[in-house]
Amino acid sequence: MEIPGLVEITTQDELREIVPQPLAAAAGKTRKELHELDREWLAASPFCLVATSAEDGTCDVSPKGDPAGFTKVLDGSTIAIPERAGNRRVDGFINILSNPHVGLIYFLPGRGDTLRINGRARIVSEAPFFDEMIVKGNRPQLALLVEIEEIFHHCSKAFLRSKLWKPETWEPDAVTTRARISQTLERTDEDLATLEEYYGQAYEEKIYKVKY
């Protein structure tokens, strides 16, 4: 796409002309092993994003969420994330089969800072710790085992700019409902009333009752 007046950055030197080298505190904050403060964060976090890319470079970012502490710390450099049944696309897992590198961001509701982890992942279908990942009777059929290569805490600037955790800025009804999006783009042969019922209270009630 041609955009008049567009100036593209194509080298690191060009990039650094605009963005200087990071300060020592930022450049040197990455670690390879979990600190007690990292473990505390993981124990309190109910949500993370998992970024992956396939061997050909195509990317995916998948949300993962469960009760706080859903990520299992196995040792100082290894964590495990349970996989619950979803839409069966498993885009991120398919990427991992050809490229094991993953990036994770852990959130705490109401907090602007985040915990970031980069590492190498494996998909496992059974392990002793699966029994410790049962939620409402649901034992995961898969889990993501991540060997940590980098871990660090990230500041809150993006959250402050976006006011993400400010309830007075929330407008969940500003866009089309999930049921109508589904009918328009995905399930075009189903009526809206059926989809509204599907995505209503019953949807939340059954999220731990389904398996792949």
Side-chain angles (χ1 to χ4, degrees), residues 32-191:
K32 293 182 182 255
E33 292 195 355
L34 292 161
H35 186 277
E36 187 58 37
L37 294 176
D38 306 325
R39 293 172 183 258
E40 180 183 69
W41 192 282
L42 292 174
S45 175
F47 181 84
C48 76
L49 296 175
V50 180
T52 61
S53 65
E55 190 174 25
D56 65 1
T58 53
C59 298
D60 178 73
V61 178
S62 296
K64 304 297 178 186
D66 253 334
F70 71 101
T71 295
K72 176 74 175 173
V73 175
L74 301 178
D75 61 29
S77 59
T78 313
I79 59 175
I81 303 168
E83 173 71 3
R84 309 293 177 186
N87 59 16
R88 304 183 185 178
R89 288 180 56 100
V90 293
D91 298 301
F93 279 12
I94 291 172
N95 286 347
I96 287 167
L97 292 174
S98 63
N99 176 8
H101 297 281
V102 297
L104 315 175
I105 298 183
Y106 280 90
F107 295 75
L108 283 182
R111 284 283 293 262
D113 47 331
T114 54
L115 179 66
R116 293 175 58 172
I117 294 176
N118 299 318
R120 298 173 68 89
R122 291 180 284 164
I123 305 165
V124 295
S125 60
E126 185 57 73
F129 54 79
F130 275 38
D131 287 338
E132 300 174 39
M133 293 178 164
I134 296 173
V135 176
K136 295 186 178 180
N138 182 282
R139 188 177 189 272
Q141 295 174 273
L142 297 169
L144 199 62
L145 194 67
V146 179
E147 297 175 8
I148 297 169
E149 295 179 328
E150 285 188 318
I151 183 168
F152 58 98
H153 289 260
H154 196 98
C155 74
S156 60
K157 291 186 179 70
F159 290 83
L160 293 171
R161 290 171 181 142
S162 65
K163 300 182 180 179
L164 184 66
W165 300 126
K166 299 288 187 181
E168 61 270 23
T169 70
W170 297 349
E171 295 185 58
D173 299 324
V175 298
T176 306
T177 65
R178 177 67 185 111
R180 192 173 291 277
I181 290 171
S182 180
Q183 185 195 44
T184 303
L185 302 176
E186 303 156 1
R187 303 185 180 193
T188 57
D189 58 342
E190 297 188 40
D191 66 89

